[in-house]
Amino acid sequence: MPTPYGSRGGMAFSADELRVLRRALAVALHPAPLADADVQDCLRLAGSVDEAAREASRLRTFLLADLARYRTALPGSARGYLELLQDALAAGYDPQPDDLMALRGLRAHPVAAALLERCRRLAEHSVRTRLAAATPGPRTRLLAFPGGRAAADDQKPAPKPTPKAEPQPKAPRPDRPIPTPGEVFPPRRKPTPPPAARAAG
């Protein structure tokens, strides 16, 4: 069974497992029928690899828990903390803000100073990767294919507008008599003189 190689998360295979792995890779590159025994060997190796991956995940969890404990106990635990941090970084650990702060406090130690620069670069790379993943890509303009539904819709003749009916003149009401000129233009009345003029007359 392959086993995790130390705390760095790699795997070590036995000679028999390497033989089965090489055979599986050869079949993947050049497909060929496999004997039943070879199939069973590949299945056993796949199961062993899965179990080793789970074990590596458990070891990584323990490593990060130890790293947090040593970081909390700084500065007295500086040596153990720096060793654990190197192992965690080798296993793919992304340094946290607490790690950067702890390393700044240990800058007098040459190993801590080197790790601080390394962790800064890793943190900046991680931030850029997250920003690139969060930034939406350019929107692709969708174009209709020739002869598609859009073209068919364009070829349909537009309906002609319905002409509006012109208003018809109203017919005169038969029950209403035609007004006479006297009614339309009543005679002008003489203006009434003011009261003072009537008294003088």
Side-chain angles (χ1 to χ4, degrees):
M1 170 183 176
T3 55
Y5 185 75
S7 60
R8 296 182 183 273
M11 289 188 183
F13 292 90
S14 67
D16 289 337
E17 290 167 344
L18 287 175
R19 176 181 53 81
V20 175
L21 183 60
R22 283 195 297 266
R23 189 183 311 161
L25 292 174
V27 172
L29 294 174
H30 305 285
L34 281 175
D36 292 342
D38 292 335
V39 173
Q40 293 301 321
D41 288 342
C42 290
L43 292 176
R44 280 193 295 270
L45 179 60
S48 298
V49 170
D50 290 341
E51 178 59 29
R54 288 191 291 270
E55 180 65 19
S57 178
R58 287 192 291 268
L59 288 176
R60 187 175 186 272
T61 301
F62 292 143
L63 171 62
L64 296 183
D66 285 342
L67 180 66
R69 284 194 292 270
Y70 274 77
R71 186 174 56 227
T72 304
L74 288 173
S77 59
R79 181 177 178 181
Y81 169 72
L82 295 176
E83 291 178 356
L84 288 173
L85 180 58
Q86 292 180 80
D87 288 341
L89 294 176
Y93 171 70
D94 283 334
Q96 303 299 309
D98 290 342
D99 295 310
L100 297 174
M101 186 180 300
L103 291 173
R104 290 190 189 99
L106 300 173
R107 274 181 296 189
H109 196 293
V111 176
L115 280 176
L116 178 59
E117 292 303 319
R118 181 182 176 187
C119 289
R120 280 176 176 170
R121 291 194 299 268
L122 290 174
E124 290 174 1
H125 176 73
S126 179
V127 169
R128 285 195 298 267
T129 302
R130 287 195 298 268
L131 290 177
T135 303
R139 298 181 62 183
T140 303
R141 185 178 179 182
L142 299 179
L143 301 177
F145 289 101
R149 181 176 179 182
D153 293 342
D154 292 340
Q155 293 176 358
K156 291 180 181 179
K160 296 181 179 180
T162 304
K164 295 182 179 180
E166 296 182 0
Q168 299 294 331
K170 295 182 179 180
R173 294 177 57 181
D175 56 344
R176 183 176 179 181
I178 299 175
T180 61
E183 293 175 345
V184 176
F185 305 102
R188 297 180 62 183
R189 297 181 180 180
K190 294 181 180 181
T192 304
R198 290 200 301 268

